[in-house]
Amino acid sequence: MIGMMIMPRFFVDKPVVDFFEITGEDAGHIMKSLRMKRDEMLILCHDEVDYHCKITNFDKNSVQVKLVKTQKCELEPHLKVTLFQGIPKGDKMDLIVQKAVEVGVTAIVPVFTSRCVSRPDGKSLEKKIQRWQKIALEAAKQSGRGCIPQIFPALSFKDAVVFAKNCDKIILFYEDNGQVLTDILKSKSQSVSVFVGPEGGFEAFEVEEVTKLGGKICSLGKRILRTETAAIVSVALTIYESEREK
């Protein structure tokens, strides 16, 4: 939320009960970068639950906190959106991951589509996945998320379409006509797979492959959007339409 002061947020791998010790990079960040002091408050988050904690003590490598309040994270969307993103050129994926996490995406799957220009090899791609996961973590902290969206290993388009069937609906955003998003989301769903193409968009056979499985084609309007813009807008609009009162 713009202009809203929020407590520092850190993700932990287990629920917080009474007292908790923060170690590793997070402890260093609290002490050295944030320069937090005893009795200051922070939030530890696990599995969409926020644990409001007060700092009680420091030592060389850790920060000790006391649990003050527990509450469900209220900022997680009810609709779980998985973004299937055609891998773009350069560092555009960094921006896509950061902003998609900020607006509420649940998971991101990099996809090798027919028109992908960027095709990193296995070792290079593994490093990119690790970097994107770190970007997702930082974006989740900054935006007050209740979970860290997962960045999945890259898939071929064919495998991505099969994977997308795990969600209740599949939506492919395409520049050539398509249904209105509001109409597609009229029937309630708990999860949606969203496909966005790379530079140059999708080939016609890829669109057909999605529709054969019951996927819906949706337009983002008359203007031609860059792939990074289309990714952010598609996720944001899908979540917005699912949350607004009908």
Side-chain angles (χ1 to χ4, degrees):
M1 298 179 185
I2 297 173
M4 180 180 177
M5 294 296 293
I6 60 174
M7 284 184 278
R9 171 178 293 262
F10 301 91
F11 289 92
V12 292
D13 58 6
K14 60 183 178 181
V16 177
V17 180
D18 296 329
F19 293 92
F20 194 87
E21 184 175 52
I22 304 169
T23 59
E25 290 184 12
D26 287 342
H29 185 64
I30 290 168
M31 292 186 284
K32 297 175 183 178
S33 300
L34 298 178
R35 298 182 179 276
M36 296 186 75
K37 299 178 175 59
R38 285 185 181 87
D39 294 331
E40 288 193 308
M41 298 290 295
L42 52 77
I43 296 175
L44 301 180
C45 185
H46 173 72
D47 195 23
E48 299 189 19
V49 176
D50 287 345
Y51 300 90
H52 294 244
C53 299
K54 180 187 292 186
I55 296 175
T56 58
N57 200 19
F58 299 91
D59 64 26
K60 186 177 180 181
N61 299 308
S62 68
V63 178
Q64 290 82 46
V65 300
K66 179 182 179 181
L67 178 63
V68 175
K69 180 176 72 172
T70 300
Q71 67 181 43
K72 183 75 173 176
C73 179
E74 299 177 347
L75 300 183
E76 280 302 305
H78 298 299
L79 182 68
K80 304 302 182 184
V81 177
T82 299
L83 171 63
F84 290 80
Q85 173 65 47
I87 300 174
K89 295 183 291 185
D91 59 0
K92 294 177 183 178
M93 194 70 172
D94 293 7
L95 178 66
I96 290 170
V97 170
Q98 182 188 64
K99 300 308 177 187
V101 170
E102 287 180 16
V103 299
V105 81
T106 301
I108 299 174
V109 182
V111 182
F112 288 109
T113 69
S114 179
R115 294 181 180 176
C116 280
V117 175
S118 177
R119 295 183 179 274
D121 59 26
K123 198 168 184 179
S124 175
L125 186 56
E126 186 177 344
K127 288 182 179 179
K128 286 179 181 290
I129 298 292
Q130 291 173 357
R131 185 175 77 248
W132 296 334
Q133 189 64 71
K134 188 171 183 178
I135 291 171
L137 169 61
E138 294 305 318
K141 288 180 182 178
Q142 182 275 325
S143 56
R145 295 291 303 274
C147 68
I148 307 168
Q150 183 176 354
I151 312 301
F152 282 89
L155 297 176
S156 67
F157 185 81
K158 184 176 181 179
D159 289 341
V161 173
V162 173
F163 187 28
K165 290 170 62 181
N166 290 319
C167 291
D168 298 334
K169 278 191 177 79
I170 302 176
I171 303 174
L172 184 143
F173 286 91
Y174 192 52
E175 64 273 13
D176 189 14
N177 298 318
Q179 292 181 248
V180 177
L181 184 59
T182 307
D183 294 338
I184 296 174
L185 296 174
K186 271 182 180 176
S187 58
K188 294 291 184 180
S189 300
Q190 293 185 327
S191 58
V192 174
S193 295
V194 168
F195 278 80
V196 175
E199 300 88 351
F202 292 106
E203 294 280 5
F205 76 87
E206 291 171 327
V207 178
E208 185 179 356
E209 199 164 335
V210 169
T211 56
K212 280 181 180 178
L213 292 175
K216 306 297 183 182
I217 308 304
C218 185
S219 170
L220 286 174
K222 298 178 180 179
R223 287 151 294 283
I224 303 299
L225 304 181
R226 294 179 184 272
T227 182
E228 61 270 33
T229 308
I232 298 163
V233 171
S234 64
V235 173
L237 281 179
T238 300
I239 292 173
Y240 171 77
E241 284 293 337
S242 73
E243 291 180 339
R244 76 185 183 95
E245 294 185 7
K246 298 295 190 289

